[in-house]
Amino acid sequence: QQQVKQSPQSLIVQKGGISIINCAYENTAFDYFPWYQQFPGKGPALLIAIRPDVSEKKEGRFTISFNKSAKQFSLHIMDSQPGDSATYFCAASMTGYALNFGKGTSLLVTP
Amino acid sequence: NAGVTQTPKFQVLKTGQSMTLQCAQDMNHNSMYWYRQDPGMGLRLIYYSASEGTTDKGEVPNGYNVSRLNKREFSLRLESAAPSQTSVYFCASSKLAGGRNEQFFGPGTRLTVL
């Protein structure tokens, strides 16, 4: 049973546009929600993370929005650039347990 | 600091052969993980070790064994490789297991089983 569901599977955005990736989870005990970015041939790397006691976290052009009641969180990439083209994974976990990853979103930002 | 290192980078096996994937971290992390990544399936946890001396099964443990050799090293063994184990394998580590602890990933091992 997949604990974190991610959509869309792929996304094409024009340079300067907003990229939005959504995730939903079932386990209300999850207390950590990170997003990872992966470039081809590389391992994933942490991009940004949020805890359930805040509704939004912003780091540069990247923002996580968190809706605890709906059990959903999303990644917004403002002013998307070709260098943002990568695969993005959302994840969730409880303290003391391993991360549960979504299936990933392949983002292509066109010039 | 090298971070998380994995060997080998690439490997081709024949069905039934065995091999061990090696992973080491130099960040003094307590927890280590093995994932496999397949197209459209995301990252699936095979095994993890929350601390030295402990290991636990993840989502897809069948066909694999692990050894937490010491705090730095966590190996993954395929006793009798099958074509279904063709994948990219990532090792990761974190200071503590889960909740609010960044996982650092290695560069991956690309395994093909013929």
Side-chain angles (χ1 to χ4, degrees):
Chain A
Q1 181 184 358
Q2 190 183 4
Q3 300 224 41
V4 179
K5 296 183 179 180
Q6 182 172 348
S7 63
Q9 186 173 1
S10 62
L11 183 61
I12 300 175
V13 173
Q14 282 194 328
K15 179 181 176 180
I18 303 173
S19 304
I20 301 174
I21 304 170
N22 300 298
C23 284
Y25 64 96
E26 288 298 323
N27 191 338
T28 56
F30 287 154
D31 61 0
Y32 177 61
F33 303 89
W35 285 89
Y36 279 77
Q37 180 187 53
Q38 183 182 30
F39 293 105
K42 304 292 186 183
L46 180 66
L47 183 64
I48 186 172
I50 197 168
R51 295 173 295 180
D53 51 351
V54 298
S55 60
E56 186 175 282
K57 183 174 181 180
K58 184 176 182 179
E59 290 184 1
R61 295 183 294 107
F62 300 90
T63 300
I64 298 179
S65 296
F66 186 80
N67 186 329
K68 190 173 182 178
S69 61
K71 293 187 286 185
Q72 295 176 345
F73 58 111
S74 60
L75 176 69
H76 295 236
I77 306 174
M78 311 300 290
D79 186 27
S80 298
Q81 299 296 312
D84 297 330
S85 298
T87 300
Y88 293 81
F89 294 96
C90 62
S93 74
M94 297 182 289
T95 299
Y97 292 86
L99 285 171
N100 299 275
F101 282 89
K103 291 189 175 183
T105 296
S106 178
L107 172 65
L108 175 64
V109 181
T110 59
Chain B
N1 287 349
V4 179
T5 57
Q6 293 183 236
T7 55
K9 287 185 169 54
F10 300 92
Q11 184 71 49
V12 178
L13 293 177
K14 294 181 179 178
T15 297
Q17 287 185 317
S18 62
M19 79 162 296
T20 299
L21 280 65
Q22 305 287 353
C23 174
Q25 53 90 9
D26 62 1
M27 296 173 282
N28 199 34
H29 284 169
N30 292 305
S31 301
M32 298 186 74
Y33 314 82
W34 276 105
Y35 295 90
R36 61 177 290 173
Q37 184 174 24
D38 304 288
M41 300 298 292
L43 292 157
R44 293 184 292 171
L45 183 66
I46 304 171
Y47 272 93
Y48 70 103
S49 172
S51 62
E52 189 178 356
T54 68
T55 59
D56 286 287
K57 294 179 180 180
E59 180 184 356
V60 289
N62 290 345
Y64 305 96
N65 285 299
V66 291
S67 295
R68 183 74 183 267
L69 304 171
N70 47 55
K71 190 172 186 178
R72 290 187 63 249
E73 299 173 289
F74 189 38
S75 63
L76 179 71
R77 183 161 178 83
L78 288 70
E79 290 291 352
S80 179
S84 60
Q85 294 178 305
T86 293
S87 187
V88 181
Y89 292 85
F90 288 101
C91 177
S93 71
S94 63
K95 186 174 182 182
L96 296 172
R100 313 178 189 189
N101 287 279
E102 178 179 357
Q103 285 191 13
F104 293 81
F105 284 79
T109 293
R110 285 146 184 82
L111 174 67
T112 301
V113 183
L114 302 175

